[in-house]
Amino acid sequence: NAGVTQTPKFRILKIGQSMTLQCTQDMNHNYMYWYRQDPGMGLKLIYYSVGAGITDKGEVPNGYNVSRSTTEDFPLRLELAAPSQTSVYFCASSFTNRGTEAFFGQGTRLTVV
Amino acid sequence: AQTVTQSQPEMSVQEAETVTLSCTYDTSESDYYLFWYKQPPSRQMILVIRQEAYKQQNATENRFSVNFQKAAKSFSLKISDSQLGDAAMYFCAYRSAGGGATNKLIFGTGTLLAVQP
């Protein structure tokens, strides 16, 4: 009964370093999303995917990359980390059906120093 | 593009009292879904309630109910008999009923609810 699993939960990066945030879901959901949550700003969509092999940009894609080689996995890559990428990152997934809710991972708190 | 606005950054309610959280949205679509999510300090996002735009009847889930005014594009959440465990950040969210790339979940900025004992 894992749902959406994100790793790591916390990470500190130095400016210019790179890292990959992992996300996997075991519910056979078509849709997967990456959001970032900044204080007082709600959740902003970074990238999303409507199925394996298909990804698209959200509102704030700059500085990030994604891939979706399988239905289960949707990793988020940060290249050349910057202080502006300090945030809490959430991965989510949902079925294609419009009315179904998204299920969220527990988030990754990333600090870039 | 669709937008979701929550105009109350913070709210406070006494235990056992009722509180209403506001949400407005902007869309040109006629078919869509609206959600309220709760985020406690654990950071876990939990679905509280959902509303289909084509349904006139307001959704209810135990102590949680919504006031959905489609013409006014308003979707408020009412919490009755507030409990200490209701203290959390609450997010309003919109999802288009269209398929494919339009089927994104768009969030408001959230309302932080404090429950006073």
Side-chain angles (χ1 to χ4, degrees):
Chain A
N1 198 21
V4 179
T5 302
Q6 278 183 248
T7 56
K9 288 188 170 50
F10 303 93
R11 183 73 184 267
I12 298 174
L13 274 184
K14 293 185 178 178
I15 294 171
Q17 287 185 320
S18 300
M19 76 164 294
T20 299
L21 279 66
Q22 301 291 345
C23 176
T24 187
Q25 52 92 8
D26 61 359
M27 297 172 282
N28 202 30
H29 286 167
N30 302 78
Y31 282 73
M32 295 189 75
Y33 315 82
W34 274 105
Y35 291 91
R36 59 177 286 171
Q37 183 180 18
D38 300 322
M41 299 297 289
L43 280 78
K44 297 286 188 184
L45 183 63
I46 304 171
Y47 270 96
Y48 65 100
S49 170
V50 301
I54 306 169
T55 63
D56 207 349
K57 296 177 180 178
E59 301 171 79
V60 290
N62 291 342
Y64 308 94
N65 277 300
V66 294
S67 60
R68 184 98 182 269
S69 56
T70 66
T71 299
E72 295 78 19
D73 300 307
F74 190 42
L76 177 72
R77 178 82 177 161
L78 279 72
E79 305 282 1
L80 298 174
S84 62
Q85 293 178 304
T86 294
S87 189
V88 179
Y89 292 84
F90 286 95
C91 178
S93 71
S94 70
F95 281 118
T96 305
N97 293 342
R98 306 118 12 126
T100 57
E101 76 267 29
F103 293 80
F104 285 79
Q106 288 205 297
T108 297
R109 181 175 293 279
L110 175 68
T111 302
V112 182
V113 296
Chain B
Q2 297 83 16
T3 58
V4 177
T5 301
Q6 293 179 250
S7 59
Q8 305 155 316
E10 297 181 15
M11 293 281 286
S12 182
V13 63
Q14 291 292 127
E15 200 174 1
E17 297 294 307
T18 295
V19 65
T20 298
L21 308 183
S22 300
C23 173
T24 58
Y25 57 94
D26 189 27
T27 183
S28 59
E29 299 173 330
S30 60
D31 195 12
Y32 48 86
Y33 294 81
L34 297 164
F35 305 86
W36 279 98
Y37 280 86
K38 171 185 177 181
Q39 187 184 42
S42 67
R43 290 205 312 246
Q44 184 66 46
M45 294 286 283
I46 303 164
L47 178 69
V48 175
I49 199 165
R50 90 186 80 203
Q51 174 78 43
E52 292 93 335
Y54 62 86
K55 287 188 176 179
Q56 290 188 330
Q57 186 174 6
N58 289 323
T60 62
E61 288 286 342
N62 301 315
R63 298 182 295 106
F64 298 87
S65 61
V66 298
N67 183 4
F68 174 49
Q69 302 288 328
K70 190 172 184 179
K73 296 179 183 174
S74 170
F75 182 59
S76 60
L77 174 69
K78 185 171 84 170
I79 306 174
S80 303
D81 185 25
S82 296
Q83 300 175 359
L84 294 177
D86 294 334
M89 181 74 85
Y90 287 82
F91 290 99
C92 179
Y94 171 103
R95 188 175 189 184
S96 172
T102 63
N103 207 325
K104 299 174 289 191
L105 199 56
I106 300 168
F107 286 87
T109 53
T111 297
L112 183 62
L113 178 66
V115 181
Q116 309 298 332

